[in-house]
């Protein structure tokens, strides 16, 4: 059972113990769970819990009411959000391929098209939104630790930061290195945003997810996404990772309405290996960005290409690549459920392309000439 439970909001404070969960207070419907041992230690035993909890509920409700009146929330708390209008995207790709840089620029492009965008960084490094905000914003985990894990004391402005171009930013954070599960943190982040009625306040929510998919934890954002986008380059390792991510999309699509929107080639002078892979595993290629050094430099500067283009108009043509991706997404692509290439077969396919580039070029030339002959035969 969830560590949260819903209780009646009126008319009096309520205290309940159910599967180790404690709920108090007449205004907020949820509070974090406490273990039985901590209940006994903090309240002197379960027999005293009801009476003390009722008093605490009144006090907490008063504090929350006062706080709500005195603080302006950056995200309105609406009772019935419109779930259908929110498009949710998950960005994956090999580590270091440029996912966060690409994700931030796509978020800006979507905002330039008039959409209200939230980008959620799903990496313990919490640097997904760096180029949007210019600094490492506090994570959900940081905020919860500061609030002693009292979810009822967390407000939207505590965790949602305004970035460049009006894009809202959240960093999930994660457990210490070598401990815990990053996927659990993503789930708790979504749960908190829903509890704040912020999750469906956006036209687009973009999850920027760390590295390759090696376990169900890293695949957790796919549970919430409508589309997955895979960032790659024209190299062996990135495409090998893309194939594995495609397999996770296929697995998640069995139980979720998830589709792969397509590949995005990032900073590559060629696309021949990308095309070779797509022939074996059919999927759309949304865009291939050329090998532009400013894309890499933008990450170091903590700025998106759109912000850099304000002072250097020669970069505006780079922004058009991201705007093209945004337009395709907003058009509601059908997407695909990819059928990944078996690992050994893909390894052979990609390695042969490197080891025998002449043969690969001859094959492409033969395929091209066949196409020309077919066209001539119809004349």
């Amino acid at each position: 059972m969830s560590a949260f439970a819903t209780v009646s909001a009126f008319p009096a404070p309520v205290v309940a113990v159910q599967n180790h969960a404690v709920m108090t207070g007449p205004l907020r419907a949820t509070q974090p769970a406490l273990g039985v041992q901590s209940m006994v230690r903090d309240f002197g035993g379960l027999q005293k819990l009801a009476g003390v909890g009722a008093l605490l509920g009144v006090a907490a409700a008063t504090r929350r009411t006062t706080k709500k009146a005195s603080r302006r929330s950056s995200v309105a708390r609406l009772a019935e959000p419109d779930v259908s209008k929110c498009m949710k995207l998950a960005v994956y790709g090999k580590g270091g391929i440029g996912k966060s840089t690409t994700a931030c620029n796509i978020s800006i492009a979507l905002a330039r098209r008039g959409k209200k965008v939230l980008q959620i960084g799903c990496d313990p490094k919490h640097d997904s939104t760096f180029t949007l905000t210019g600094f490492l914003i506090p994570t959900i985990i940081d905020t919860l630790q500061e609030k002693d894990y009292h979810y009822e004391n967390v407000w939207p402005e505590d965790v949602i930061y305004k970035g460049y171009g009006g894009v809202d930013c959240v960093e999930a954070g994660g457990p210490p290195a070598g401990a815990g599960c990053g996927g659990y943190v993503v789930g708790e982040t979504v749960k908190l945003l829903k509890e704040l009625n912020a999750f469906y306040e956006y036209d687009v929510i973009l999850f920027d997810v760390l590295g390759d998919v090696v376990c169900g934890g890293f695949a957790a954002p796919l549970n919430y996404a409508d589309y997955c986008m895979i960032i790659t380059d024209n190299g062996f390792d990135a495409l090998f990772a893309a194939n594995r991510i495609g397999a996770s999309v296929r697995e998640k699509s069995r139980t979720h309405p998830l589709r792969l929107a397509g590949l995005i080639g990032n900073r590559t002078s060629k696309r021949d290996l990308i095309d070779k892979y797509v022939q074996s595993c059919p999927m759309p290629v949304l865009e291939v960005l050329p090998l532009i050094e400013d894309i890499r430099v933008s990450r170091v500067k903590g700025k998106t290409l759109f912000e850099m283009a304000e002072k250097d108009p020669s970069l505006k043509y780079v922004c058009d690549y991201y705007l093209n991706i945004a337009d395709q997404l907003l058009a509601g692509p059908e997407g695909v459920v990819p059928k990944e290439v078996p690992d050994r077969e893909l390894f052979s396919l990609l390695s042969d392309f490197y080891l025998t580039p002449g043969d690969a070029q001859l094959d492409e030339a033969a395929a091209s000439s066949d196409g020309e002959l077919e066209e001539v035969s119809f004349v």
Side-chain angles (χ1 to χ4, degrees), residues 6-309:
T6 304
V7 298
S8 174
F10 297 100
V14 178
V15 177
V17 179
Q18 182 178 2
N19 290 353
H20 310 306
V22 179
M23 300 79 73
T24 64
L27 295 183
R28 293 291 291 273
T30 58
Q31 283 195 351
L34 298 174
V36 173
Q37 292 182 351
S38 62
M39 294 179 194
V40 174
R41 182 180 65 252
D42 295 340
F43 295 100
L46 294 176
Q47 292 180 344
K48 299 180 181 180
L49 180 58
V52 175
L55 294 176
L56 291 176
V58 173
T62 303
R63 288 196 303 271
R64 289 193 294 269
T65 303
T66 303
K67 184 177 182 180
K68 186 174 182 180
S70 61
R71 298 177 65 180
R72 297 178 61 185
S73 172
S74 62
V75 179
R77 298 170 183 257
L78 300 178
E80 295 294 336
D82 184 1
V83 177
S84 62
K85 75 169 188 175
C86 181
M87 174 188 291
K88 294 172 285 296
L89 309 170
V91 177
Y92 281 83
K94 172 184 169 293
I97 202 65
K99 291 183 301 298
S100 295
T101 302
T102 304
C104 289
N105 283 289
I106 291 176
S107 291
I108 294 296
L110 290 165
R112 290 287 175 91
R113 294 306 192 220
K115 301 303 178 182
K116 186 176 182 181
V117 182
L118 171 67
Q119 181 167 322
I120 302 177
C122 305
D123 190 328
K125 299 194 306 295
H126 60 90
D127 59 350
S128 166
T129 58
F130 177 68
T131 55
L132 289 170
T133 61
F135 70 104
L136 297 178
I137 66 176
T139 69
I140 294 286
I141 295 299
D142 292 336
T143 303
L144 288 176
Q145 288 176 342
E146 180 184 339
K147 304 290 185 179
D148 198 24
Y149 292 93
H150 285 281
Y151 281 61
E152 76 279 6
N153 291 331
V154 178
W155 293 80
E157 60 266 33
D158 294 329
V159 295
I160 301 176
Y161 290 77
K162 187 69 68 176
Y164 172 80
V167 175
D168 284 347
C169 304
V170 169
E171 291 285 355
C181 175
Y184 174 79
V185 175
V186 172
E188 291 302 302
T189 297
V190 172
K191 185 185 299 182
L192 175 62
L193 292 173
K194 286 182 177 180
E195 197 274 338
L196 294 172
N197 279 337
F199 191 67
Y200 296 113
E201 289 302 303
Y202 297 88
D203 300 311
V204 181
I205 294 178
L206 188 149
F207 295 91
D208 176 24
V209 192
L210 74 167
D212 189 6
V213 178
V214 296
C215 71
F218 288 176
L222 295 177
N223 295 332
Y224 310 100
D226 302 307
Y227 296 105
C228 173
M229 294 181 290
I230 304 176
I231 313 301
T232 185
D233 59 17
N234 200 51
F236 179 98
D237 293 330
L239 288 169
F240 206 87
N243 189 65
R244 186 173 178 84
I245 296 166
S248 68
V249 171
R250 178 181 56 80
E251 185 63 29
K252 290 292 184 181
S253 68
R254 300 178 190 273
T255 55
H256 297 81
L258 172 67
R259 293 293 182 270
L260 176 65
L263 292 176
I264 298 174
N266 185 44
R267 298 186 67 246
T268 179
S269 58
K270 297 181 179 180
R271 57 176 293 170
D272 48 0
L273 197 56
I274 294 176
D275 292 336
K276 189 73 173 178
Y277 170 69
V278 170
Q279 289 176 9
S280 300
C281 183
M283 62 180 63
V285 178
L286 299 178
E287 189 60 273
V288 177
L289 284 87
L291 187 59
I292 302 172
E293 182 65 9
D294 289 294
I295 296 178
R296 186 187 65 82
V297 172
S298 70
R299 178 71 170 169
V300 180
K301 290 184 176 181
K303 299 180 183 296
T304 63
L305 269 299
F306 288 88
E307 187 174 1
M308 291 173 60

